[in-house]
Amino acid sequence: MVRSCAPLEAGPSALENIYVRGLDGDDGIMLGELLYVAYKGTIDDEGQSLEEAHSEAIETLQGRYGHIIWPASFIATEATDAEIAVSCCVVTDSEKFGPLLAFVATHPDFQKRGLARTLIAKSIDALRDVDVHLVKLVVTNGNESAMSLYRKLGFRDS
């Protein structure tokens, strides 16, 4: 399968060799690996094994947290011999919340480069294109860096 991707345009040199494309149903293993590495040792770490992270990611893509809003879900990858996920923004249509930023994660080696901010903005733009003007998220209490980013992007506590 050929996937369409484009260079990620955020800071001038911080994102060289990083490409963004739409998330697809075959990305479960790669997404699980990213979530495992991104959350390990953080406030969001639930002690999952890599295999459990793979399963959760696959189940997410199959609708565990609501249908994926595919046009608004993105993955950033590093241009290497193997496609390696470095950041993602997964948007679902949650029964409980409506449009929901279900997962936003960045590999620790790629944090503080604007990847999450760029992918969230891209997701919000894609949602506006399909006439969705409100998206929610859930963030772990104490995850101050995530809360700060979300506030800068215009999210507010409800």
Side-chain angles (χ1 to χ4, degrees), residues 28-36 48-60:
I29 297 295
M30 184 169 48
L31 179 61
E33 289 173 4
L34 172 61
L35 296 175
Y36 178 78
Q48 285 185 323
S49 68
L50 180 57
E51 293 76 22
E52 290 168 328
H54 287 160
S55 292
E56 181 168 10
I58 290 166
E59 290 171 14
T60 297

Side-chain angles (χ1 to χ4, degrees), residues 5 24 31-32 36 48 78 81-82 91 102 121 132 145-147 152:
C5 63
D24 71 38
L31 179 61
Y36 178 78
Q48 285 185 323
E78 184 178 28
D81 290 341
V91 183
V132 173
S145 63
M147 287 188 222
K152 288 176 186 172

